[in-house]
Amino acid sequence: MAVITCENVTKIYGSGENRIAALDDVNLSVEPGEFVTVMGASGSGKSTLLHILGSVDRPTAGTVMVGGEDVAALNPTRAAVFRRRTVGIVYQFFNLIPTLTVRENILLPLLLDGRKADEAYYGELVSLLGLEDRQSAFPSELSGGQQQRAAIARAMICRPAILLADEPTGNLDRKNSQEIVELLKRSNRTFGQTIFMVTHDGSIGAGAQRLVTMEDGRIIGDTGRSREA
Ligand SMILES: Nc1ncnc2c1ncn2[C@@H]1O[C@H](COP(=O)(O)OP(=O)(O)O)[C@@H](O)[C@H]1O
Ligand SMILES: [Mg+2]
């Protein structure tokens, strides 16, 4: 069964002269464990789609099912739980909390969810992401690549079924960008979570397992799962 389904999804911002169809009849189905890469020009609707999947924003029309939940129908309490447990979100600017260490940043979502740290899984994540030596460091003491790896660990600590990443390499140099994408691929294989990643970087798109292309709020291309990463 699909983990993400979008049916005739439209998102309108503004009205009258300022009306913008950020999403225009989007249809998409993603199976569990897929790694979907989304490309498209700036303004094509990539972030809007990602935010709707993450229940950060709501569609104007259409149906969006994520992890078995109808995201548009969630009340605020359920939406907050959904955002903590079902999805993890990674942004271009890492948004780590400067006064917390790497370990504290990574574990924060568990604390907010009233759960204790699963030390074995925490250790696995930190090791996968190469942060063993940096656990007591503060974000300002980390390189950009390390900060993004910490942000990814934080997004994954609650074992979300789906990891949403909005231009996660947009603020990194080529070497760190490739490394982050490799780590996402490895964690996709290791932990089996579904990954939905937006990128501007053509070389990342070229190596994508499944590439979805957007233009003016529409999906104009989708390679499906035919390609091998
Ligand atoms: N909160 C908002 N209010 C008004 N317009 C918005 C808002 N968010 C996005 N848009 C518009 O929707 C379109 C799609 O934006 P976005 O999803 O951010 O594109 P992308 O991430 O592909 O660059 C753009 O025209 C953008 O200006
Ligand atoms: Mg964007």
Side-chain angles (χ1 to χ4, degrees):
M1 202 179 95
V3 68
I4 297 174
T5 314
C6 295
E7 280 176 11
N8 311 115
V9 173
T10 297
K11 177 68 184 183
I12 309 292
Y13 287 115
S15 59
E17 272 182 20
N18 299 319
R19 184 182 188 279
I20 291 171
L23 295 178
D24 180 9
D25 197 25
V26 165
N27 290 280
L28 180 70
S29 175
V30 178
E31 295 296 318
E34 273 195 81
F35 192 133
V36 180
T37 303
V38 182
M39 291 195 73
S42 180
S44 57
K46 306 181 298 295
S47 294
T48 301
L49 178 57
L50 185 138
H51 287 145
I52 287 175
L53 296 178
S55 163
V56 180
D57 206 344
R58 279 167 186 258
T60 306
T63 310
V64 181
M65 299 292 296
V66 178
E69 302 261 23
D70 179 347
V71 291
L74 296 175
N75 66 36
T77 313
R78 295 283 304 278
V81 171
F82 172 89
R83 284 194 292 268
R84 285 201 302 270
R85 296 185 188 166
T86 308
V87 294
I89 306 189
V90 176
Y91 291 101
Q92 175 174 356
F93 299 102
F94 326 117
N95 300 341
L96 296 169
I97 296 181
T99 52
L100 298 182
T101 63
V102 165
R103 178 182 160 89
E104 291 164 345
N105 265 287
I106 294 172
L107 293 175
L108 186 62
L110 276 180
L111 294 181
L112 294 175
D113 204 32
R115 285 190 276 168
K116 277 178 68 179
D118 173 346
E119 290 294 340
Y121 178 60
Y122 168 82
E124 231 184 310
L125 265 183
V126 162
S127 145
L128 176 87
L129 293 164
L131 290 167
E132 290 106 321
D133 306 342
R134 309 303 290 150
Q135 295 177 60
S136 54
F138 290 94
S140 62
E141 299 171 319
L142 303 180
S143 70
Q146 288 170 336
Q147 288 184 60
Q148 191 58 298
R149 286 188 260 142
I152 291 169
R154 179 182 57 182
M156 289 177 54
I157 196 69
C158 290
R159 298 178 185 269
I162 302 144
L163 187 74
L164 303 168
D166 195 353
E167 313 231 13
T169 66
N171 203 34
L172 301 176
D173 61 29
R174 174 146 304 276
K175 180 173 167 294
N176 275 297
S177 296
Q178 281 167 350
E179 200 177 286
I180 289 293
V181 173
E182 280 313 309
L183 285 169
L184 289 174
K185 285 182 183 170
R186 201 181 307 158
S187 91
N188 167 254
R189 286 194 298 265
T190 306
F191 301 115
Q193 85 278 69
T194 308
I195 299 191
F196 186 91
M197 178 181 71
V198 167
T199 184
H200 246 104
D201 186 333
S203 66
I204 293 174
Q209 184 188 97
R210 175 177 175 184
L211 182 64
V212 169
T213 311
M214 294 190 67
E215 189 180 288
D216 295 336
R218 290 175 162 267
I219 290 178
I220 58 160
D222 184 349
T223 62
R225 278 177 295 161
S226 53
R227 306 203 314 180
E228 272 306 309

